[in-house]
Amino acid sequence: MKLAVNVDHFATLRQARRSDEPDPVLVALLAEQAGAEGIVVHLRGDRRHIQERDLRLLREVVKTKLILEMAATGEMKKIALRIKPDVVSLVPERREELTTSGGLNVIAGQRVLGPFIRDLKKAGIRVSIFVDPDPGQINTCAKLDVDLIEINTGKFADLNPGAARERSLKKVKQAATLAHNLGLAVHAGHGLDYRNVGEIVGIPEIVELSIGFSIVARAAVVGIVQAVQEMTVRL
Ligand code: PXP
């Protein structure tokens, strides 16, 4: 299982004082040294954490792969085509949310998403969609010809142990099997931490996890290298 580390919240800390540290670019390099196989950033319309400067520098220095999470807007498409990350991960975005709060509704948005995805792929960028573990949504992702999907584990991660959590985990498993059978590479993420990651690691179709907050929170105490290493040993 591969680990992609989301460094957004190092930028959140920097932006709290509009300072120049901590630098998410330095953190990304250290995370790679510690075993991360991808670096993820979400460039938001409101630029609350990651800035275009970060994206430009990360494109130059990241040696594994650079994954850009973004909303499917004209502004973001222009930036993606200029920066050329290895992967664009399309996510829904609402200004008032603290973090991404659900998968992209590809059934509702498919007419707009089709040409959007084609343009990115034509430029050599692999395209991912962050999607809820819902068979209808996943079938539509396959029709849209994306390279991979990231299954939203946020609901599973929010639940306390019990029947509802088990049902949620089962949905993630079934979604992973469906997507794999449709020929999609299957990634997962959102809300994963050092305690709950084991259950997701047990799903064989899932080949990569995108983890941010829990690693950043632990890194604030023990440092990024140790925080990444403590996660990779669980994968
Ligand atoms: N995947 C997606 C699509 C996300 O938007 C985020 C949060 O930025 C993550 C994964 C990582 O979630 P977390 O910070 O809860 O690990």
Side-chain angles (χ1 to χ4, degrees), residues 4 6 8-9 40-42 44 49 69 89-92 99-102 129-131 150-154 188-193 209-216:
N6 180 319
D8 288 351
H9 293 308
V40 189
V41 289
H42 183 173
R44 283 184 167 265
H49 38 52
E69 283 181 15
S89 176
L90 296 174
V91 298
T99 180
T100 314
S101 48
I129 289 182
F130 180 60
V131 66
E150 179 184 334
I151 297 175
N152 179 12
T153 51
H190 215 277
L192 298 178
D193 62 26
L209 301 179
S210 171
I211 306 182
F213 184 79
S214 63
I215 292 177
V216 177

Side-chain angles (χ1 to χ4, degrees), residues 72-199:
T73 63
E75 182 204 12
M76 288 300 152
K77 184 157 98 175
K78 267 193 219 148
I79 292 171
L81 292 174
R82 195 167 62 240
I83 300 285
K84 298 237 176 85
D86 299 285
V87 180
V88 159
S89 176
L90 296 174
V91 298
E93 195 173 296
R94 285 186 292 126
R95 233 163 234 274
E96 64 279 12
E97 69 194 358
L98 283 178
T99 180
T100 314
S101 48
L104 190 64
N105 187 342
V106 285
I107 298 175
Q110 54 190 313
R111 221 171 290 148
V112 178
L113 288 168
F116 197 95
I117 291 165
R118 263 199 305 281
D119 289 349
L120 293 174
K121 288 186 66 163
K122 244 189 271 165
I125 301 168
R126 298 180 75 214
V127 180
S128 171
I129 289 182
F130 180 60
V131 66
D132 288 330
D134 171 274
Q137 295 289 344
I138 288 169
N139 279 312
T140 308
C141 286
K143 275 193 222 144
L144 284 169
D145 203 26
V146 293
D147 301 281
L148 59 114
I149 60 162
E150 179 184 334
I151 297 175
N152 179 12
T153 51
K155 194 159 180 208
F156 154 78
D158 278 347
L159 290 165
N160 292 320
R165 190 172 188 274
E166 286 310 307
R167 277 197 301 277
S168 191
L169 181 60
K170 194 169 164 196
K171 273 195 183 171
V172 173
K173 285 182 181 165
Q174 288 170 340
T177 305
L178 172 63
H180 179 77
N181 290 341
L182 289 167
L184 295 165
V186 189
H187 298 186
H190 215 277
L192 298 178
D193 62 26
Y194 295 84
R195 282 172 291 280
N196 66 19
V197 76
E199 285 152 290

Side-chain angles (χ1 to χ4, degrees), residues 3-17:
L3 172 66
V5 175
N6 180 319
V7 298
D8 288 351
H9 293 308
F10 286 97
T12 303
L13 184 57
R14 177 190 62 190
Q15 296 309 111
R17 287 291 174 93

